[in-house]
Amino acid sequence: MTDIRVSLVDVVVFRRVGTLEILLLRRGPTGRNAGSWESVHGTIEAGETPVDAARREVREECGATDGTLHNLSRVESFYRPERDEVALIPVFALEAPRDLAVQLSAEHDRFTWSATSAAKQQASWPRLRRAIEAVEQLLVDPRAQVLGDVLRIP
């Protein structure tokens, strides 16, 4: 029988430099989805919470150790046939320092900071485009400022 598990996390890394910019990472030529432009994401390891996994993945994939983590109030799903599992994917955003020195992992060969409209066009996965829209709606739109105390993760 197919399992349903919270087993992956997505993290949109962004910064405010006058405008909002999204960090996109390009998958390297030797791994899966070579050449795709993605956000930080990965597997939740044994004993980790989704928040722990989000922080670890950000550190591993782009070198960010500072910044404010936010819950984007959404969960994506993805069927993983090799495991016969529907993976539930909590989605987070990390507001990175403006001067973040991105340090790529071996999984990626390039990165770019893009304005939200360009990032949505460049993003390979539809779920990343939805996550960028959530960043705009929940973390930038002035109407959502009253939600900060719930969305900000200490």
Side-chain angles (χ1 to χ4, degrees):
M1 183 151 139
T2 303
D3 288 327
I4 299 174
R5 291 188 41 219
V6 178
S7 56
L8 301 166
V9 293
D10 283 344
V11 185
V12 177
V13 177
F14 71 98
R15 65 183 182 184
R16 298 174 201 250
V17 288
T19 61
L20 190 72
E21 292 184 335
I22 305 295
L23 177 66
L24 295 176
L25 308 172
R26 188 175 76 175
R27 300 288 301 185
T30 58
R32 65 167 177 74
N33 305 117
S36 66
W37 287 95
E38 305 176 342
S39 63
V40 170
H41 66 269
T43 302
I44 299 171
E45 295 180 354
E48 279 186 322
T49 67
V51 169
D52 294 337
R55 287 191 169 118
R56 177 185 49 76
E57 288 291 345
V58 164
R59 191 173 51 253
E60 290 176 359
E61 293 191 11
C62 70
T65 57
D66 294 327
T68 304
L69 191 64
H70 301 270
N71 176 358
L72 284 184
S73 186
R74 62 181 302 111
V75 176
E76 291 282 349
S77 60
F78 185 78
Y79 178 65
R80 301 171 80 185
E82 74 281 4
R83 296 177 180 226
D84 191 26
E85 169 189 282
V86 174
L88 298 179
I89 310 165
V91 184
F92 300 95
L94 179 86
E95 183 166 0
R98 294 170 66 143
D99 60 350
L100 173 66
V102 176
Q103 299 169 9
L104 294 178
S105 70
E107 296 175 54
H108 305 99
D109 64 359
R110 282 187 56 200
F111 74 91
T112 187
W113 288 101
S114 297
T116 55
S117 58
K120 285 187 275 189
Q121 287 186 351
Q122 191 172 3
S124 298
W125 289 97
R127 74 178 198 245
L128 175 53
R129 291 191 282 279
R130 291 188 294 269
I132 293 168
E133 289 173 1
V135 168
E136 292 173 312
Q137 293 167 354
L138 294 172
L139 304 179
V140 178
D141 187 324
R143 295 172 294 180
Q145 295 305 310
V146 296
L147 306 176
D149 61 331
V150 174
L151 300 176
R152 194 174 309 106
I153 299 172

